[in-house]
């Protein structure tokens, strides 16, 4: 089923909007940074073609309703500073996973929390989901702090289905129910 394309979401400092072909170079800078990708579930990208393929995939997924992958843009400058996504959206069980990343120089300003609050509102109010989950490397302190600040609760731990820098990882599963969203 073809979904309605959601309009951009504006917050105090940010704009969350669909990814477009003009974002490929900025995405490569983000997903190509080894510091940013240290806890991610795949190796840093090395080619523009990988970024272009991700944009194509993101636009396809938003149309078929399986994911909502958005650019995080600074309203003041128009700079793309990160991305956030609801993925594995499962309307029948009303759940989805959440993912996010910011360029290294933009850590520590509250941008991720600001973006995720808006994305969670979209998930609970517009998409009418009940349950959002996050899988996070147990060593990813910044991400765990962010999830806990947003009200996510620790649910369980397990061996990841992916490797981080060729090492098997333990991941923690966090979840936020609509009824617990602040
Ligand atoms: C996970 C990640 C997005 C968190 O970024 P972050 O900058 O720590 O998170 P926020 O943008 O919400 O900023 C919060 C920090 O900014 C500080 N801050 C400064 N100004 C702020 C403001 N105006 N409002 C809120 N917080 C502010 C907070 O005190 C907090 O610092 P602390 O964590 O030391 O307590 C970032 O570390 C990242 O991109 N990591 C790499 C990708 C990744 O691992 N993603 C998660 C995979 S599961």
């Amino acid at each position: 089923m073809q979904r309605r394309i959601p309009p951009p979401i504006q917050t105090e400092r940010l704009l969350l909007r669909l990814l477009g072909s003009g974002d490929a170079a900025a995405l490569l800078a983000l997903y190509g940074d080894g510091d940013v990708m240290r806890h991610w579930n795949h190796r840093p990208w090395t080619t523009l073609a990988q970024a272009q393929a991700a944009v194509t995939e993101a636009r396809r997924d938003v149309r078929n309703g399986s994911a909502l992958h958005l650019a995080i843009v600074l309203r003041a400058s128009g700079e793309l500073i990160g991305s956030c996504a609801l993925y594995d959206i499962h309307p029948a069980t009303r759940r989805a996973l959440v993912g996010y990343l910011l360029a290294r120089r933009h850590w520590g300003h509250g941008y991720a929390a600001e973006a995720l609050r808006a994305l969670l509102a979209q998930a609970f109010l517009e998409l009418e989901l009940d349950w959002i989950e996050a899988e996070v490397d147990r060593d990813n302190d910044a991400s765990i702090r962010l999830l806990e600040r947003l009200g996510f609760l620790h649910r369980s731990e397990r061996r990841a289905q992916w490797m981080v820098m060729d090492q098997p990882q333990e991941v923690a599963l966090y979840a936020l129910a609509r009824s617990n969203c602040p």
Side-chain angles (χ1 to χ4, degrees), residues 13 35-36 39-40 100-102 106-114 135-136 140 142-143 145-146 149:
R13 297 175 294 175
D35 281 343
V36 173
H39 301 285
W40 208 254
Y100 40 83
L101 80 176
L102 286 179
H106 293 290
W107 293 356
H109 298 279
Y111 292 133
E114 187 170 325
E135 283 182 336
V136 52
N140 193 346
S143 184
R145 269 202 307 281
L146 170 63
R149 206 177 289 131

Side-chain angles (χ1 to χ4, degrees), residues 120-175:
L120 291 170
Q122 182 83 13
F124 291 132
L125 303 178
E126 297 294 325
L127 302 179
E128 299 185 331
L129 301 175
D130 288 337
W131 189 253
I132 306 296
E133 294 173 343
E135 283 182 336
V136 52
D137 178 353
R138 279 197 321 198
D139 298 331
N140 193 346
D141 296 338
S143 184
I144 289 173
R145 269 202 307 281
L146 170 63
L147 290 169
E148 290 180 342
R149 206 177 289 131
L150 292 168
F152 280 74
L153 298 177
H154 179 264
R155 308 296 301 185
S156 61
E157 308 223 341
R158 64 171 174 79
R159 180 57 60 94
Q161 289 163 314
W162 63 82
M163 313 272 268
V164 174
M165 298 301 170
D166 297 328
Q167 293 301 315
Q169 297 293 310
E170 307 299 320
V171 287
L173 179 72
Y174 280 78

Side-chain angles (χ1 to χ4, degrees), residues 16-69:
L16 308 185
R17 59 153 176 80
L18 286 188
L19 290 161
S21 52
D23 295 322
L27 282 185
L28 176 58
L30 261 180
Y31 286 82
D33 181 333
D35 281 343
V36 173
M37 299 298 281
R38 189 161 146 237
H39 301 285
W40 208 254
N41 61 357
H42 59 72
R43 286 180 163 279
W45 293 342
T46 53
T47 68
L48 193 61
Q50 289 172 295
Q52 286 163 336
V55 171
T56 303
E57 189 181 335
R59 294 183 69 84
R60 182 202 63 206
D61 288 350
V62 78
R63 280 195 302 273
N64 68 29
S66 64
L68 179 60
H69 189 175

